[in-house]
């Protein structure tokens, strides 16, 4: 039985905490939202899961108290808030810990992934054994409902990966180990871009045929991106790339898909929605398309639509009129 601190009282933080509590570990959840924390003390989180019964958690708003006597620290907070919280927390660590990251995407104001920066910043702290990221197709509500889910424990340290694998795995949540950090992280970043595109196609009234055509050709662009960032071909066909893409690009449970689907819906308020794919589109465009390092027509088209107000139907027609070629 381990002592585990979860930073983040939102949907995924609650889901991760529930897995670990079900596995018999001692859990403390750190958060800043009083209503969420009060709910969690009483076995609920009505903001995200309505009337679902959860374990009753120990909660705190004190970072120092949260990290006391813990063996593992899990970060499950939005990427925009991660840098400040992470830097504060790692200074408070007083005993040997393993850090587990479930935040996906690029680090704030950087073109590097969350896992990459978190690992770099932990290297100078001898009390941090390493950083392991959980990556794969996993909606929080499905985890809460104990629907069978499989993800990867990702780091270049297989010993730590296996510890995290054992920590989380049970009869409804299965963890595989994965040492290809570049591949897994790149796939988890790019799938959000394709989820926005898929949602937009659905929102514009195109059929399932159209969505599948986009996702399949988009997967080819994902492959280019992953390989360009040093990922392995084998990883592309695993949970952290293909698996995560299938989940995120075809479900209304996905924030990125929902954003794309409602992009032209004037009654839809996306201001409170965390859409990691938006910043990813900008970075991939600037780093790979604008510099002509990669030919990524779907990402380029999304950039033109979202940031240059291009007509989506004209963009789609132009994509269909591209020079014919073999697959």
């Amino acid at each position: 039985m381990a002592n585990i601190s979860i930073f983040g009282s939102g949907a995924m933080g609650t889901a991760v905490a529930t897995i670990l509590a079900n596995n018999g570990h001692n859990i403390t959840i750190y958060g800043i939202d009083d209503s969420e924390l009060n709910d969690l003390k009483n076995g609920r989180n009505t903001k995200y899961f309505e009337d679902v019964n959860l374990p009753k958690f120990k909660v705190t708003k004190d970072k120092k108290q949260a990290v006391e006597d813990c063996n593992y620290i899990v970060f499950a907070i939005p990427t925009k808030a991660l840098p400040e919280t992470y830097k504060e927390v790692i200074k408070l660590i007083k005993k040997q810990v393993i850090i587990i990251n479930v935040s996906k995407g690029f680090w704030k104001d950087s073109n590097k992934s969350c896992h990459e920066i978190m690992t770099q910043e932990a290297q100078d702290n001898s009390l941090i054994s390493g950083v392991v990221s959980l990556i794969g197709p996993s909606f929080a509500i499905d985890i809460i409902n104990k629907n069978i889910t499989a993800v990867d424990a990702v780091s270049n340290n297989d010993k730590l990966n296996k510890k995290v694998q054992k920590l989380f795995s049970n009869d409804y949540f299965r963890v595989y180990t994965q040492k290809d950090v570049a591949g897994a992280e790149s796939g988890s970043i790019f799938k959000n871009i394709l989820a926005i595109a898929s949602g937009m196609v659905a929102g514009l009234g195109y059929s399932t045929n159209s969505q599948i055509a986009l996702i399949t050709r988009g997967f080819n662009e994902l492959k280019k991106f992953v390989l360009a960032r040093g990922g392995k071909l084998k990883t592309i066909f695993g949970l952290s790339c293909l698996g995560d893409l299938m989940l995120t690009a075809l479900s209304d449970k996905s924030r990125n898909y929902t954003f794309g689907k409602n992009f032209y819906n004037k009654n839809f308020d996306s201001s409170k929605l965390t859409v990691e794919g938006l910043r990813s589109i900008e970075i991939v465009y600037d780093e790979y398309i604008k510099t002509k390092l990669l030919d990524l027509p779907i990402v380029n088209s999304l950039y033109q639509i979202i940031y240059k107000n291009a007509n989506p139907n004209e963009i789609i027609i132009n994509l269909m009129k591209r020079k014919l070629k073999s697959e």
Side-chain angles (χ1 to χ4, degrees):
M1 183 169 61
N3 296 323
I4 304 169
S5 293
I6 313 288
F7 278 79
S9 60
M12 189 53 74
T14 302
V16 170
T18 300
I19 297 169
L20 295 169
N22 289 340
N23 289 357
H25 301 295
N26 293 323
I27 310 300
T28 299
I29 299 178
Y30 167 87
I32 58 174
D33 188 304
D34 287 324
S35 63
E36 290 175 13
L37 295 180
N38 286 331
D39 261 4
L40 288 164
K41 281 194 297 187
N42 295 297
R44 295 292 183 95
N45 195 338
T46 53
K47 181 177 179 179
Y48 300 98
F49 305 119
E50 297 183 351
D51 296 327
V52 177
N53 289 320
L54 304 169
K56 293 182 179 180
F57 294 105
K58 177 183 176 182
V59 301
T60 183
K61 294 178 74 175
D62 185 328
K63 295 183 181 74
K64 185 177 180 180
Q65 183 184 47
V67 301
E68 283 178 352
D69 200 38
C70 66
N71 311 111
Y72 297 86
I73 301 174
V74 180
F75 286 91
I77 57 181
T79 53
K80 63 182 180 182
L82 183 58
E84 182 179 354
T85 302
Y86 183 69
K87 290 175 182 178
E88 289 180 14
V89 171
I90 62 175
K91 292 177 182 178
L92 299 172
I93 294 170
K94 301 298 182 184
K95 61 177 289 187
Q96 204 70 34
V97 300
I98 294 173
I99 289 175
I100 301 168
N101 166 52
V102 298
S103 300
K104 302 175 183 177
F106 288 107
W107 190 261
K108 184 180 179 183
D109 300 325
S110 171
N111 61 359
K112 295 183 178 180
S113 71
C114 291
H115 181 98
E116 188 175 359
I117 297 293
M118 291 173 78
T119 301
Q120 287 177 0
E121 296 198 355
Q123 286 176 346
D124 294 332
N125 190 328
S126 61
L127 293 177
I128 300 175
S129 299
V131 178
V132 178
S133 289
L134 285 182
I135 301 176
S138 49
F139 287 136
I141 183 60
D142 291 345
I143 295 172
I144 289 292
N145 288 330
K146 296 186 178 180
N147 290 315
I148 290 174
T149 302
V151 301
D152 288 335
V154 182
S155 82
N156 58 15
N157 186 323
D158 204 41
K159 183 178 179 180
L160 295 185
N161 291 343
K162 288 178 179 178
K163 285 187 176 183
V164 172
Q165 178 185 48
K166 185 176 180 180
L167 192 76
F168 278 90
S169 293
N170 56 32
D171 59 1
Y172 68 89
F173 195 82
R174 183 174 174 86
V175 180
Y176 292 83
T177 60
Q178 171 62 267
K179 291 180 67 177
D180 181 12
V181 176
E185 281 283 289
S186 299
S188 72
I189 288 169
F190 205 89
K191 56 90 179 178
N192 287 328
I193 296 175
L194 296 179
I196 293 175
S198 177
M200 193 175 289
V201 166
L204 289 168
Y206 287 88
S207 71
T208 306
N209 277 14
S210 308
Q211 270 189 293
I212 298 305
L214 177 134
I215 292 169
T216 306
R217 294 308 301 165
F219 182 66
N220 187 58
E221 295 189 18
L222 180 150
K223 182 177 74 172
K224 292 180 184 179
F225 180 71
V226 169
L227 294 177
R229 289 174 64 87
K232 298 177 181 177
L233 184 63
K234 180 181 178 181
T235 307
I236 294 168
F237 299 98
L239 290 166
S240 57
C241 292
L242 178 59
D244 218 353
L245 172 63
M246 291 171 66
L247 183 86
T248 310
L250 288 169
S251 176
D252 287 314
K253 296 176 187 176
S254 161
R255 297 186 300 268
N256 291 278
Y257 179 89
T258 299
F259 173 84
K261 189 174 181 179
N262 291 279
F263 187 72
Y264 292 102
N265 180 356
K266 294 180 180 179
N267 296 319
F268 180 75
D269 181 13
S270 64
S271 61
K272 295 182 179 179
L273 200 64
T274 301
V275 186
E276 300 93 337
L278 284 174
R279 186 159 174 269
S280 297
I281 291 169
E282 290 186 278
I283 291 175
V284 173
Y285 180 84
D286 288 339
E287 297 279 332
Y288 295 93
I289 297 173
K290 192 175 180 180
T291 58
K292 299 186 178 179
L293 288 175
L294 293 176
D295 179 27
L296 306 172
I298 291 174
V299 183
N300 186 28
S301 297
L302 264 184
Y303 181 86
Q304 301 305 323
I305 291 169
I306 294 172
Y307 295 106
K308 299 296 183 181
N309 297 315
N311 184 294
N313 293 307
E314 289 181 5
I315 289 284
I316 291 170
I317 290 171
N318 289 336
L319 282 172
M320 293 300 293
K321 288 184 175 181
R322 281 165 53 88
K323 184 179 179 180
L324 299 176
K325 59 182 182 180
S326 64
E327 189 177 33

